[in-house]
Amino acid sequence: MTEVVIIGAGNVASHLFRAFRQSGEVQIVQVYNHRSEKLADFAEISTTTSLSEITQADLYIFALKDDAIAKTAAQLKDTGGLFVHTSGGVAMESLSKFKNFGVFYPLQTFSRNREISFKNIPLCLEASSEENLHKLKELGAAISENLYEINSEQRRALHVSAVFVNNFSNHLYQIGADICKKHEVPFEILRPLIAETAAKIEELSPAEAQTGPALRNDEKTINAHLELLNAQESKIYKLLTSSIQELHGKEL
Amino acid sequence: MTEVVIIGAGNVASHLFRAFRQSGEVQIVQVYNHRSEKLADFAEISTTTSLSEITQADLYIFALKDDAIAKTAAQLKDTGGLFVHTSGGVAMESLSKFKNFGVFYPLQTFSRNREISFKNIPLCLEASSEENLHKLKELGAAISENLYEINSEQRRALHVSAVFVNNFSNHLYQIGADICKKHEVPFEILRPLIAETAAKIEELSPAEAQTGPALRNDEKTINAHLELLNAQESKIYKLLTSSIQELHGKEL
């Protein structure tokens, strides 16, 4: 059974830990974090707060903040195992001090208290050799049905796309919630719309799914909307409206 | 059984038609549209392309484009029935030439070829009298479990919020898809992330669900992302990043 050390104890680390344990195909032999209180969730297995105590294993997964990956790697000895990180924004080469290295990037948003099935999460894999890639595919297949070979440049593009579809969409939900609050309307009224907006994308391309006053060039509605918005909201409304019109003007 | 005439034959009209038929509690007695080819979907029942042929009924639903509502109403005689429209952006008073009038606004995005269960769609109701409101509630309860009393000003706020969470989010999906295409990455990799971003909002407020480089003030990642974007995408990225930081800087 593949023996794995997880370096880090944040959301990605916890979710990977749980998924590997449930798979029954991977043995987590140790979890590292520099703060012991973060290791409470992993009490059933061996944990350490010292990089010098990290044990021998087949695979080391750096599930750390982007900035911490190279710094932590610099303090680790090369055991000959395969060293990978889980970041969308960091090049594979940040781990090139090791003989065997790669990337094991689960493209999903993780929250501490929200269960999520790993089965559907796309795993973006990259490795320093064919043999290492093969190992990552085996490991990935234990927890997910969606494996992709993605190089560092493609991963960077995916990461910025993820910011648009995830972080920025969520911010638009927040603006929607703020407008509702200001006008004493319960935000819950918008929840089925949010769900359907995302669900449509399972079947349609975003270009096909686009609707609304911007697409229709419905100036009367656009102006009525702008009257309700504060300065910042107006700026966003205008920019996204013109962006929709530019994109669809070109395409249609 | 309540007898209903539907004026209009677009997406909202078709979805309402199907939902009322399935409920078994409402009888659609006629569907009007000025173009006969649009009426093909409603062949089982009486249809007309002439406003002067519109029949006697308890309720008349204007499921029309915003601009067409007042124009069409101007050409209709008051039969004494209850006249309502389904628009988020039009004031109830646009139908005040009738003795009994109101609004029956389903807050959802409708696509012609996508089935949708009406049960969870919020219906925003407004009426010219308590008695008329009561009638709309009875009618609404036949197809949906989510009824809300919403006045015209609140409805306008909901409508603009809906543009943010639906039209604009979808546009961000499109930008994500464009970036993927440019870097030869399949867009399908982002689909589970889009689904989870929306699903999180069932449990968390958007403020709680916010993550990403903008929130963390992670300038290194933000700058790396901006390098990948074209001028328009950069503008949107910068504006939404600063908006997230402004909102959360204020709150935290």
Side-chain angles (χ1 to χ4, degrees):
Chain A
M1 191 143 52
T2 307
E3 296 191 334
V4 173
V5 171
I6 297 181
I7 298 160
N11 286 337
V12 175
S14 319
H15 282 91
L16 275 177
F17 177 76
R18 243 174 290 163
F20 282 133
R21 298 264 287 191
Q22 279 167 16
S23 79
E25 296 179 37
V26 173
Q27 197 187 353
I28 311 287
V29 292
Q30 195 179 39
V31 177
Y32 159 87
N33 201 67
H34 71 290
R35 285 163 59 192
S36 61
E37 66 271 28
K38 286 275 185 180
L39 292 165
D41 290 352
F42 306 92
E44 311 136 71
I45 61 145
S46 163
T47 60
T48 179
T49 58
S50 162
L51 287 171
S52 61
E53 280 174 13
I54 282 183
T55 191
Q56 185 69 39
D58 302 304
L59 188 88
Y60 299 82
I61 302 178
F62 292 80
L64 296 170
K65 288 194 179 125
D66 289 2
D67 281 349
I69 293 170
K71 280 181 214 161
T72 309
Q75 296 174 63
L76 267 187
K77 263 183 276 183
D78 193 349
T79 61
L82 174 52
F83 292 77
V84 300
H85 70 65
T86 60
S87 164
V90 174
M92 178 172 72
E93 274 60 39
S94 65
L95 297 177
S96 64
K97 70 161 266 189
F98 302 107
K99 184 164 173 274
N100 301 296
F101 57 100
V103 177
F104 191 87
Y105 170 46
L107 184 62
Q108 188 49 280
T109 170
F110 297 100
S111 310
R112 182 158 289 275
N113 296 316
R114 204 176 137 78
E115 277 287 342
I116 191 162
S117 159
F118 239 91
K119 221 178 50 160
N120 303 315
I121 296 180
L123 291 175
C124 303
L125 309 177
E126 185 181 11
S128 56
S129 72
E130 277 302 318
E131 198 192 329
N132 289 331
L133 186 63
H134 181 76
K135 280 184 193 165
L136 290 184
K137 281 184 182 170
E138 269 191 351
L139 185 81
I143 55 174
S144 168
E145 291 171 1
N146 294 306
L147 307 183
Y148 295 90
E149 274 186 64
I150 295 289
N151 66 35
S152 288
E153 196 216 316
Q154 289 175 314
R155 188 155 33 80
R156 212 152 61 102
L158 269 172
H159 195 239
V160 64
S161 297
V163 167
F164 278 92
V165 306
N166 170 251
N167 303 156
F168 290 166
S169 285
N170 186 74
H171 183 57
L172 298 180
Y173 303 162
Q174 164 109 53
I175 292 173
D178 288 349
I179 296 168
C180 284
K181 201 175 166 190
K182 201 166 117 189
H183 293 85
E184 295 176 354
V185 186
F187 176 63
E188 65 183 44
I189 303 186
L190 288 170
R191 286 208 162 100
L193 179 63
I194 289 173
E196 175 65 9
T197 303
K200 264 190 175 180
I201 297 303
E202 306 282 328
E203 288 179 24
L204 303 176
S205 74
E208 290 165 331
Q210 191 65 55
T211 59
L215 185 72
R216 293 194 307 272
N217 199 13
D218 176 351
E219 280 184 40
K220 204 171 144 190
T221 299
I222 291 170
N223 290 331
H225 284 172
L226 289 173
E227 277 174 31
L228 258 80
L229 301 175
N230 69 29
Q232 178 78 311
E233 291 159 355
S234 276
K235 235 164 137 180
I236 295 171
Y237 190 104
K238 283 179 189 164
L239 181 59
L240 291 175
T241 292
S242 69
S243 181
I244 289 171
Q245 293 180 338
E246 196 176 305
L247 214 62
H248 285 268
K250 272 182 204 157
E251 279 175 4
L252 296 176
Chain B
M1 191 145 50
T2 308
E3 296 190 334
V4 173
V5 170
I6 297 180
I7 299 160
N11 286 336
V12 175
S14 321
H15 282 92
L16 276 177
F17 177 76
R18 242 173 291 163
F20 282 133
R21 298 264 287 192
Q22 278 166 17
S23 78
E25 294 178 38
V26 172
Q27 197 187 354
I28 310 288
V29 293
Q30 194 179 39
V31 177
Y32 158 86
N33 200 67
H34 70 290
R35 285 163 60 193
S36 61
E37 66 271 28
K38 287 273 185 184
L39 292 165
D41 291 352
F42 306 92
E44 311 135 72
I45 61 145
S46 163
T47 60
T48 179
T49 56
S50 161
L51 288 170
S52 62
E53 281 175 13
I54 282 184
T55 190
Q56 184 70 38
D58 302 303
L59 188 86
Y60 299 83
I61 302 179
F62 291 80
L64 296 170
K65 288 196 180 123
D66 288 2
D67 281 350
I69 294 170
K71 281 181 213 161
T72 309
Q75 296 174 64
L76 268 186
K77 263 183 276 179
D78 193 350
T79 61
L82 173 52
F83 291 77
V84 300
H85 70 65
T86 59
S87 165
V90 175
M92 178 171 73
E93 273 61 38
S94 64
L95 298 177
S96 62
K97 71 162 264 192
F98 302 108
K99 182 164 173 273
N100 301 297
F101 58 100
V103 177
F104 191 86
Y105 169 47
L107 183 63
Q108 188 49 281
T109 170
F110 297 100
S111 310
R112 182 158 290 273
N113 296 315
R114 204 177 137 79
E115 277 287 343
I116 192 163
S117 159
F118 240 90
K119 221 178 51 159
N120 302 315
I121 295 179
L123 292 175
C124 302
L125 309 177
E126 186 180 10
S128 58
S129 72
E130 276 304 315
E131 198 192 330
N132 289 331
L133 186 64
H134 181 76
K135 281 184 192 163
L136 291 184
K137 281 184 184 171
E138 269 191 349
L139 184 81
I143 56 174
S144 169
E145 291 171 1
N146 295 307
L147 308 182
Y148 295 90
E149 273 187 65
I150 296 290
N151 66 35
S152 288
E153 196 216 317
Q154 289 175 313
R155 188 156 32 81
R156 212 152 60 103
L158 269 173
H159 195 239
V160 66
S161 296
V163 167
F164 278 92
V165 307
N166 170 251
N167 304 156
F168 291 166
S169 284
N170 186 74
H171 183 56
L172 298 181
Y173 303 161
Q174 163 109 53
I175 293 174
D178 288 349
I179 296 168
C180 284
K181 201 175 166 191
K182 201 166 118 191
H183 292 86
E184 296 176 353
V185 186
F187 176 63
E188 65 183 46
I189 303 186
L190 289 170
R191 287 206 161 102
L193 178 63
I194 289 173
E196 174 66 9
T197 303
K200 265 190 174 179
I201 298 303
E202 305 283 328
E203 290 179 21
L204 303 176
S205 74
E208 290 165 329
Q210 191 64 55
T211 58
L215 185 71
R216 293 195 306 271
N217 199 14
D218 176 351
E219 280 185 37
K220 205 171 142 189
T221 300
I222 292 169
N223 291 331
H225 284 172
L226 289 171
E227 278 174 31
L228 259 80
L229 302 175
N230 68 29
Q232 178 78 311
E233 290 159 356
S234 275
K235 232 163 138 179
I236 294 171
Y237 190 104
K238 284 180 190 164
L239 181 58
L240 292 175
T241 291
S242 71
S243 180
I244 289 171
Q245 293 181 338
E246 196 177 304
L247 215 62
H248 286 268
K250 270 184 205 156
E251 279 175 3
L252 296 178

